[in-house]
Amino acid sequence: MQICVIGTGFVGVVTAAVFSSFGHQVIGLDVLPDKIEKLKQGIVPFFEPGLKELLQEQQKTGNLTFTTSYEDAIKNSDVIMLAVGTPSSAEGAVDLKYVFSAAESLAPYLKPNAIVAIKSTVPPGTLNSVAEKIKAKTKTAFEMASLPEFLREGTAVQDTLHPDRVVIGSSSEAAAKTLEELHKSFKAPIFHVRPESAQMAKYSANAYLALRIAFINQVADLCEENGADVMEVIKVIGADRRIGDHYWYPGLGYGGSCFPKDVKELAAYSRTVGQANNLLNHLNLINEERIPKLIANWGSKLGGWNGKKVAVLGVAFKPHTDDVRESPALKVVPALLADGATVSAYDPRVEASDMVMAALSGGSEAHAKNVSLSNELLTTIQDADVILALVEWPEIVEFDFAGKKPSTAQWFIDARNQFDAHTLTKAGYNYLGIGRPSHA
Ligand code: UGA
């Protein structure tokens, strides 16, 4: 089958490379010539484990090519997957401008009965509006489907190769059958549902996971009031098979390019349908308040941030990615600088680009001189008064902080509950975790 994937972000590049590995002819399309030039040379413009290798392997087979030309990409394609970005508007609602402009651009070149499948996260009703945009530009018959994506950054290739489920939302039997055939190689359960259900399933899956994180963080806050250890609580309640102890480590709230955005979009959608007093509207607020509250709470324990040298470990929003969108560090570091601290930050993958440094200093030129970023952990913690571990990168979690304790370091803040409190306390740190008793 010939497939065109429009949009070469995380979802687009991974999807294109994976379908190509199943023997299909895949053309990746993007309107940005620089991006396409890089991809043609086998360069992935972001870090995602295993993706560069898969991409280059597939390019060698000749199954996977890239172009900026809609005509070349669309004219022979049986299935066209839209994986373009869907930024949020200022009010939190989804902005579909890229989805619509891709729909209008592809329309004139459609092969009869081609399937246009939307992978981007879009609200219910979008299939109809996209179909209208296409119909306004062509008389050729085509089919529509919703094909939501559930991959995570950092494990995107494995998640795509081995999904928990495939969701096909189409009201056309022919399109559903073709897409089922296309997805058989994944050997995963396939759900045929209404397009609206597919879209609600995507939003709800993310919203539920976000809710789970917010819930356990609030339980952790309560534990801090009474001497309970939230990690013990998780073990106990997780033994209930209806609940489970997976995907439940407390921390800094959820970040990244998906959860904050999808929760806000579903909340905005709930308001447009007259359901303003919806759980999702509160969830977003709880998440936004989390980091400022933690900073204030830690600050009060260690006698204020003013004049402290803080080593902030982890700048990406999570391990195994260099993505800093909605990353905790970009909220934590500007707040520490504003409170008078000096920050040396570390991340194994994030580079000290102008964009990252401006974000870390909160856009303040006055604060910029008080923050640095390095890919070297040991030098980052030298001279630190406080070590603040934000991300559970293996490079951070496996580091011997007890053995290599800087003489200046008095405090160790474990914002992901990844470290052994007793070992660190014995080594001379005052240990602070999330929802755990103090071991000082
Ligand atoms: C998320 C979903 O997990 C994917 O299924 C979905 O396809 C994707 O969004 C998307 O919509 O494209 P991702 O944003 O890559 O994937 O990251 P996750 O690993 O799910 O983590 C999201 C955030 O939750 C991170 O900030 C992470 O640190 C936080 N988190 C996760 C916790 O605080 N505690 C946990 O137990 C798990």
Side-chain angles (χ1 to χ4, degrees):
M1 223 176 273
Q2 179 147 330
I3 301 169
C4 168
V5 179
I6 304 182
T8 56
F10 276 100
V11 174
V13 181
V14 176
T15 303
V18 165
F19 276 106
S20 160
S21 75
F22 289 138
H24 300 287
Q25 277 293 324
V26 184
I27 309 184
L29 169 74
D30 205 294
V31 291
L32 300 172
D34 286 358
K35 238 176 161 186
I36 290 298
E37 239 357 273
K38 282 210 171 95
L39 286 164
K40 279 183 177 170
Q41 295 165 31
I43 301 168
V44 182
F46 46 83
F47 172 67
E48 181 61 43
L51 183 55
K52 188 177 77 183
E53 293 75 10
L54 184 66
L55 176 88
Q56 292 177 351
E57 181 191 292
Q58 290 310 309
Q59 285 176 307
K60 276 193 205 127
T61 67
N63 281 350
L64 178 60
T65 54
F66 291 93
T67 182
T68 51
S69 159
Y70 268 95
E71 183 173 2
D72 292 351
I74 304 297
K75 65 182 181 203
N76 296 318
S77 288
D78 307 294
V79 176
I80 298 143
M81 297 185 187
L82 295 188
V84 295
T86 49
S88 292
S89 71
E91 299 76 41
V94 64
D95 180 346
L96 294 171
K97 65 182 172 200
Y98 299 126
V99 176
F100 290 153
S101 90
E104 285 169 350
S105 305
L106 68 85
Y109 310 110
L110 277 174
K111 179 177 161 180
N113 303 318
I115 300 169
V116 178
I118 303 188
K119 272 208 154 308
S120 310
T121 303
V122 294
T126 305
L127 236 50
N128 291 342
S129 41
V130 169
E132 290 309 314
K133 298 272 177 204
I134 298 176
K135 279 185 197 151
K137 299 268 176 190
T138 184
K139 297 252 171 301
T140 308
F142 63 94
E143 308 282 9
M144 292 288 309
S146 169
L147 212 52
E149 178 52 63
F150 298 94
L151 64 80
R152 287 161 301 171
E153 289 184 27
T155 49
V157 173
Q158 286 311 311
D159 287 352
T160 308
L161 282 168
H162 310 289
D164 290 343
R165 73 306 214 183
V166 169
V167 180
I168 298 171
S170 183
S171 30
S172 149
E173 255 181 54
K177 212 166 148 229
T178 307
L179 291 173
E180 170 155 352
E181 204 50 47
L182 183 64
H183 286 86
K184 274 199 172 137
S185 328
F186 291 103
K187 298 190 172 47
I190 296 180
F191 292 89
H192 287 284
V193 296
R194 292 158 183 263
E196 293 78 11
S197 308
Q199 290 150 345
M200 277 306 291
K202 166 69 197 186
Y203 273 117
S204 320
N206 275 1
Y208 172 73
L209 293 170
L211 188 66
R212 211 174 143 92
I213 293 165
F215 172 79
I216 206 64
N217 285 336
Q218 294 206 333
V219 171
D221 288 348
L222 294 177
C223 289
E224 285 193 15
E225 297 294 327
N226 54 38
D229 183 336
V230 69
M231 302 315 280
E232 293 177 351
V233 175
I234 289 176
K235 263 192 220 151
V236 175
I237 56 176
D240 183 328
R241 273 172 294 175
R242 292 169 303 174
I243 300 174
D245 64 0
H246 55 282
Y247 202 81
W248 231 8
Y249 56 88
L252 300 141
Y254 52 83
S257 63
C258 302
F259 286 178
K261 178 176 167 310
D262 289 356
V263 168
K264 276 186 218 158
E265 284 175 12
L266 200 49
Y269 177 74
S270 71
R271 294 194 296 275
T272 62
V273 295
Q275 298 184 21
N277 189 20
N278 181 298
L279 184 60
L280 299 158
N281 286 298
H282 299 287
L283 178 56
N284 176 44
L285 195 67
I286 289 167
N287 197 52
E288 292 195 342
E289 285 175 354
R290 175 118 190 112
I291 287 179
K293 273 191 187 163
L294 285 172
I295 299 276
N297 184 21
W298 293 327
S300 69
K301 289 190 173 143
L302 49 84
W305 292 106
N306 193 22
K308 295 274 188 320
K309 288 185 183 163
V310 188
V312 170
L313 309 183
V315 172
F317 87 92
K318 67 174 197 177
H320 310 293
T321 179
D322 57 2
D323 193 344
V324 298
R325 285 176 289 177
E326 296 276 336
S327 108
L330 298 194
K331 293 180 180 155
V332 168
V333 176
L336 295 181
L337 294 171
D339 282 353
T342 309
V343 174
S344 52
Y346 160 82
D347 193 281
R349 282 282 166 184
V350 178
E351 301 294 335
S353 65
D354 290 349
M355 194 267 287
V356 167
M357 294 316 291
L360 284 175
S361 56
S364 152
E365 276 186 32
H367 290 159
K369 61 178 188 319
N370 293 332
V371 57
S372 61
L373 170 60
S374 155
N375 302 123
E376 254 289 315
L377 207 164
L378 191 58
T379 49
T380 304
I381 61 170
Q382 260 167 23
D383 307 330
D385 304 311
V386 184
I387 296 175
L388 173 47
L390 292 185
V391 181
E392 64 283 19
W393 274 104
E395 287 85 343
I396 297 171
V397 175
E398 288 158 18
F399 187 84
D400 178 16
F401 287 100
K404 301 207 164 91
K405 179 182 173 297
S407 56
T408 47
Q410 296 176 32
W411 293 88
F412 192 101
I413 305 179
D414 178 6
R416 295 283 182 188
N417 287 355
Q418 296 289 315
F419 296 88
D420 182 51
H422 294 289
T423 310
L424 293 176
T425 307
K426 234 171 95 188
Y429 293 100
N430 295 305
Y431 173 90
L432 294 177
I434 300 275
R436 317 189 83 176
S438 165
H439 290 261

